[in-house]
Amino acid sequence: MSVPDQVRVDGVDVAHLPVSDRGLHYGDGVFETITVRDGLLRFAALHRLRLEEGCRRLALRLDIEAAFAELQALARDQHRCILKLIATRGDALARGYAVTGAESPRRVTLRYPWPLDNAAALEGVRVVSVRTRLGESTQLAGIKHLNRLEQVLARIEIAASGEDEGLMTSSSRRVISGTMSNVFLVHQAEIVTPRVDRCGISGVMRAVVIREANRAGLRLRETDIEPAELARATEVFLTNVRIGIWPVRQLDSRRLQPGPVTRRLQGMMDNVDE
Amino acid sequence: MSVPDQVRVDGVDVAHLPVSDRGLHYGDGVFETITVRDGLLRFAALHRLRLEEGCRRLALRLDIEAAFAELQALARDQHRCILKLIATRGDALARGYAVTGAESPRRVTLRYPWPLDNAAALEGVRVVSVRTRLGESTQLAGIKHLNRLEQVLARIEIAASGEDEGLMTSSSRRVISGTMSNVFLVHQAEIVTPRVDRCGISGVMRAVVIREANRAGLRLRETDIEPAELARATEVFLTNVRIGIWPVRQLDSRRLQPGPVTRRLQGMMDNVDE
């Protein structure tokens, strides 16, 4: 059980918010989950870019400067921890979906202790394809908004089997991502990862892997991936900011090994710059 | 501005809930908006059926009996009002999307004064097609879950133009619904309404109209509707439990009249039984 050791709402140490909040009523908001190492937010600039894009898409006038200042303050004396920022449109000023424009965004920050590291996962995880599909919406794709029922239902699917992660496809049957991770396939000398412009999340660790692969001269392409292509991949790995890179050692009934490309990228991630 | 005159959380008169609620983090829950007339919940059985289906799909173990008892108590001394029930999975017991199964669902009820009746709307409303599309998911289609960003974005689109309602299509380009209403078309002697098994909400007033049309011997079909079919419709109308039936008098650039089928159904709705 990982419960937060610090919670703030609009900068105040309280653990409640009004039931009129549009985040509750409609999932009307965005979030970021940020890792802290030695008092600093890792990949702060990338998190900030995604948060800005989310606020732009939802027409949410969040004070992003103030949000990051608070996150940095929460990180300051921490060796390792996880910070979550939730930004909602604030209280509903009328009944119904309509936005009046006078709403005042609300900022919630939660600090969680660093979870027990799962050393075994760095040697490979078990992944199963789930039935729950990701709906497609160009307006909502890529950003980390609060409408996450698809991920919740996918997690419920894998809870019984004890798999580490569920692999999700879109309503138009492309491979998109894990429930909490992005996915990469290695085909011969090329790395491919699904586009996230119709569904899926533009993960910060995904962006870091793409950047570092390019810097290292590895061939990497964002593309449409059909489920049948999974069988051709010589390596498969998952990414997110907490786990870093997880090699996949079982994908449905297929066994895989953590391969040389995955190992090379894993080695690069520990000391990657911001 | 319509603010609630009564708010309860798990039966207690408080207006706050913990920031750890999964409704806030993921939109992990369902809601119902119920109209009250002369102290009674209108269409209680239909609301209850949909709520049960929503809880079943999300594996949410809500005490539905207790929820309806509370709604009935909130309705008792009211001539007219609107009740909203929000049921979430309750507090997150761990970080992340996974459901432990030990969560305790949370019930929020809000009572709103009856809004000023819009008599003009009963004579016809202006509707515009919006760009925001509805993502498709058979697991989430039909139920009234808390992931409503698509509706919020669609309302933002129509806010500037002052239209009464936005007409939404799915990612696979079928006509589905308004942002807060279901839609019906009249083609000659037949009434058609979009299927809501891949996206959209199975509206209570939609169900009442279908039932009453059938009882009255009108031909009605739930089907896939292409946007091009809108131009062929001789009548178009919208439904929800608060508005009842709104004839459409303008659909994008096309002018329409409230027709005989719409008028007949409107006449039937006022005194329909439960």
Side-chain angles (χ1 to χ4, degrees):
Chain A
M1 306 279 197
S2 177
V3 293
D5 62 28
Q6 177 82 252
V7 176
R8 291 187 186 159
V9 177
D10 284 335
V12 180
D13 284 343
V14 294
H16 290 73
L17 86 173
V19 297
S20 50
D21 193 277
R22 291 178 57 107
L24 172 70
H25 286 248
Y26 311 125
D28 191 5
V30 289
F31 72 108
E32 288 292 329
T33 303
I34 303 178
T35 57
V36 170
R37 195 156 71 173
D38 297 329
L40 296 173
L41 308 178
R42 287 204 86 189
F43 311 121
L46 291 169
H47 283 290
R48 189 175 174 134
L49 271 178
R50 183 173 58 189
L51 182 63
E52 284 169 354
E53 174 67 7
C55 289
R56 193 186 64 72
R57 297 252 206 108
L58 303 189
L60 206 87
R61 290 181 316 226
L62 180 71
D63 185 341
I64 291 175
E65 205 63 57
F68 270 81
E70 181 165 299
L71 291 167
Q72 265 141 15
L74 286 166
R76 196 157 296 138
D77 60 349
Q78 301 289 305
H79 170 49
R80 300 206 88 174
C81 68
I82 294 175
L83 298 178
K84 183 169 181 175
L85 164 70
I86 299 177
T88 76
R89 202 179 304 277
D91 290 328
L93 300 180
R95 223 182 47 75
Y97 300 121
V99 170
T100 69
E103 292 83 4
S104 179
R106 177 168 284 122
R107 177 180 83 227
V108 178
T109 50
L110 305 103
R111 187 174 68 197
Y112 297 89
W114 189 259
L116 286 177
D117 277 311
N118 185 349
L122 298 175
E123 299 304 312
V125 293
R126 289 164 53 217
V127 176
V128 65
S129 298
V130 294
R131 285 183 311 110
T132 306
R133 298 202 188 282
L134 294 161
E136 297 177 322
S137 159
T138 52
Q139 284 104 314
L140 295 176
I143 65 172
K144 213 161 164 98
H145 57 69
L146 296 175
N147 280 197
R148 293 294 157 207
L149 270 173
E150 292 164 337
Q151 285 75 17
V152 171
L153 291 182
R155 293 303 301 191
I156 290 176
E157 281 190 59
I158 64 169
S161 67
E163 308 286 341
D164 299 293
E165 178 62 306
L167 187 63
M168 304 188 75
T169 51
S170 63
S171 62
S172 60
R173 307 288 158 103
R174 264 85 171 189
V175 174
I176 303 297
S177 66
T179 66
M180 56 154 193
S181 59
N182 287 108
V183 63
F184 291 77
L185 313 185
V186 181
H187 284 316
Q188 313 291 353
E190 188 182 49
I191 307 166
V192 293
T193 191
R195 291 162 55 185
V196 289
D197 54 355
R198 283 176 295 186
C199 56
I201 293 177
S202 180
V204 161
M205 188 52 67
R206 176 182 182 273
V208 172
V209 166
I210 292 172
R211 186 187 70 191
E212 296 302 313
N214 284 330
R215 283 185 184 167
L218 297 169
R219 275 176 58 204
L220 189 149
R221 210 157 39 93
E222 297 177 60
T223 185
D224 280 341
I225 298 179
E226 310 284 333
E229 293 179 52
L230 294 169
R232 291 201 301 115
T234 52
E235 304 176 36
V236 179
F237 62 88
L238 307 176
T239 64
N240 85 21
V241 292
R242 183 179 65 77
I243 67 180
I245 294 177
W246 274 355
V248 174
R249 65 177 168 84
Q250 178 141 4
L251 178 55
D252 296 321
S253 59
R254 186 175 171 221
R255 289 194 168 274
L256 286 153
Q257 298 290 331
V261 176
T262 306
R263 288 306 195 195
R264 183 170 169 198
L265 287 165
Q266 273 186 316
M268 288 157 65
M269 286 307 123
D270 265 350
N271 297 301
V272 75
D273 60 21
E274 297 297 293
Chain B
M1 307 276 199
S2 177
V3 292
D5 63 27
Q6 178 83 251
V7 177
R8 290 187 187 159
V9 177
D10 285 335
V12 180
D13 284 342
V14 294
H16 291 73
L17 85 173
V19 297
S20 50
D21 193 277
R22 289 179 58 108
L24 172 69
H25 287 248
Y26 311 124
D28 192 5
V30 290
F31 71 108
E32 289 291 331
T33 303
I34 302 178
T35 57
V36 170
R37 195 156 72 175
D38 297 328
L40 297 173
L41 308 177
R42 286 204 85 189
F43 311 121
L46 290 170
H47 283 290
R48 189 175 174 133
L49 271 177
R50 183 174 57 189
L51 181 64
E52 285 169 353
E53 174 66 7
C55 289
R56 192 187 64 72
R57 296 252 206 108
L58 302 190
L60 206 87
R61 290 180 317 225
L62 179 72
D63 184 340
I64 291 175
E65 205 63 56
F68 270 81
E70 182 165 299
L71 291 168
Q72 266 141 14
L74 286 166
R76 197 159 296 138
D77 59 350
Q78 301 289 305
H79 171 49
R80 300 205 88 174
C81 68
I82 295 175
L83 298 177
K84 183 169 181 175
L85 164 70
I86 299 176
T88 76
R89 201 179 303 277
D91 291 327
L93 300 180
R95 223 182 48 76
Y97 300 121
V99 170
T100 69
E103 292 83 4
S104 178
R106 175 168 285 122
R107 178 180 83 226
V108 178
T109 51
L110 305 103
R111 188 174 68 196
Y112 297 90
W114 189 257
L116 286 177
D117 277 313
N118 186 349
L122 298 174
E123 298 305 311
V125 294
R126 289 164 53 218
V127 176
V128 64
S129 298
V130 295
R131 286 182 311 109
T132 306
R133 299 201 188 283
L134 294 161
E136 297 178 321
S137 159
T138 51
Q139 284 104 313
L140 295 175
I143 65 172
K144 214 161 163 99
H145 57 69
L146 296 176
N147 281 196
R148 292 295 157 207
L149 271 173
E150 291 164 338
Q151 285 75 19
V152 171
L153 291 183
R155 293 304 300 190
I156 290 175
E157 280 190 60
I158 65 170
S161 68
E163 309 285 340
D164 299 293
E165 178 62 306
L167 188 63
M168 304 187 76
T169 51
S170 63
S171 61
S172 59
R173 308 288 159 102
R174 265 85 171 188
V175 174
I176 303 297
S177 67
T179 66
M180 56 154 194
S181 60
N182 287 109
V183 63
F184 291 77
L185 313 184
V186 181
H187 284 315
Q188 314 292 353
E190 188 180 48
I191 307 166
V192 294
T193 192
R195 292 163 54 184
V196 289
D197 54 355
R198 281 176 296 185
C199 55
I201 293 177
S202 180
V204 162
M205 188 53 66
R206 175 181 183 274
V208 172
V209 166
I210 292 171
R211 186 187 69 193
E212 296 302 314
N214 284 330
R215 281 185 187 167
L218 298 168
R219 275 177 58 204
L220 190 148
R221 210 157 39 93
E222 296 176 61
T223 184
D224 281 340
I225 298 179
E226 310 285 333
E229 292 179 52
L230 293 169
R232 291 201 300 115
T234 53
E235 303 175 36
V236 178
F237 62 88
L238 306 176
T239 63
N240 85 21
V241 292
R242 182 179 65 77
I243 67 180
I245 294 177
W246 275 356
V248 174
R249 66 177 168 84
Q250 178 141 3
L251 178 55
D252 295 320
S253 59
R254 187 176 169 219
R255 289 193 168 276
L256 287 153
Q257 298 289 332
V261 176
T262 306
R263 289 303 196 197
R264 183 170 169 199
L265 287 165
Q266 273 187 314
M268 289 157 64
M269 286 307 124
D270 264 351
N271 298 301
V272 74
D273 59 20
E274 297 297 294

